[in-house]
Amino acid sequence: MKVFKKGAIIANEGDNDYDLYVVMEGTVGIYKGNVLIKEFNKKGTIVGEMSVILKLPRTATIRAVTDITLLVLNADLDQLMQNNPDIIKKIIKNLAERLRDITDDYYHLAEKIYIDEMK
């Protein structure tokens, strides 16, 4: 477990690390530039999985929105699949929920643009 104070950067966009972070307490934010994209505060939520899955630099900055306690896992996807399939199931569920949310957001944005164009 690791504790981060409010405002602390947990991982920077562009970093080449492959840690997974599991929210235990508090709120973590995902930022592109200085824009807050999404906040997570549900215990057990996993963040940082894209870098682990894609083996690419971080696509966003992870920052503590409040004081936060995270479980930090240095992750190798192959090892996780072999040794802890429950985490893989959780990652897949998280990704599916986020894709659903993004699809809904995209629909509402497209609908607004369409309505604005019809005026």
Side-chain angles (χ1 to χ4, degrees):
M1 301 279 192
K2 191 165 181 184
V3 176
F4 295 88
K5 293 291 185 188
K6 178 181 178 178
I9 293 178
I10 297 157
N12 274 305
E13 184 173 351
D15 282 355
N16 286 307
D17 69 74
Y18 304 108
D19 289 340
L20 284 177
Y21 303 97
V22 182
V23 175
M24 302 309 288
E25 185 177 337
T27 302
V28 66
I30 309 301
Y31 294 79
K32 285 292 279 181
N34 288 323
V35 177
L36 175 65
I37 303 298
K38 187 79 174 170
E39 289 183 344
F40 299 101
N41 61 7
K42 183 178 174 186
K43 184 177 181 177
T45 299
I46 298 170
V47 295
E49 73 285 345
M50 286 176 51
S51 292
V52 173
I53 293 169
L54 299 173
K55 294 276 192 224
L56 292 172
R58 299 272 179 204
T59 59
T61 295
I62 304 169
R63 185 180 304 153
V65 174
T66 65
D67 290 352
I68 187 164
T69 303
L70 299 173
L71 175 62
V72 180
L73 302 170
N74 189 290
D76 174 80
L77 190 60
D78 293 330
Q79 286 179 339
L80 283 174
M81 288 190 313
Q82 289 178 354
N83 300 332
N84 201 332
D86 289 340
I87 288 180
I88 298 300
K89 289 177 189 175
K90 178 78 170 161
I91 289 170
I92 292 169
K93 183 178 181 208
N94 283 350
L95 290 172
E97 288 170 350
R98 291 175 193 167
L99 180 58
R100 179 199 60 215
D101 292 346
I102 289 169
T103 300
D104 288 346
D105 292 346
Y106 181 81
Y107 167 75
H108 293 298
L109 180 61
E111 182 180 49
K112 182 181 180 338
I113 291 169
Y114 176 76
I115 289 171
D116 288 346
E117 287 177 352
M118 297 305 291
K119 289 182 181 179

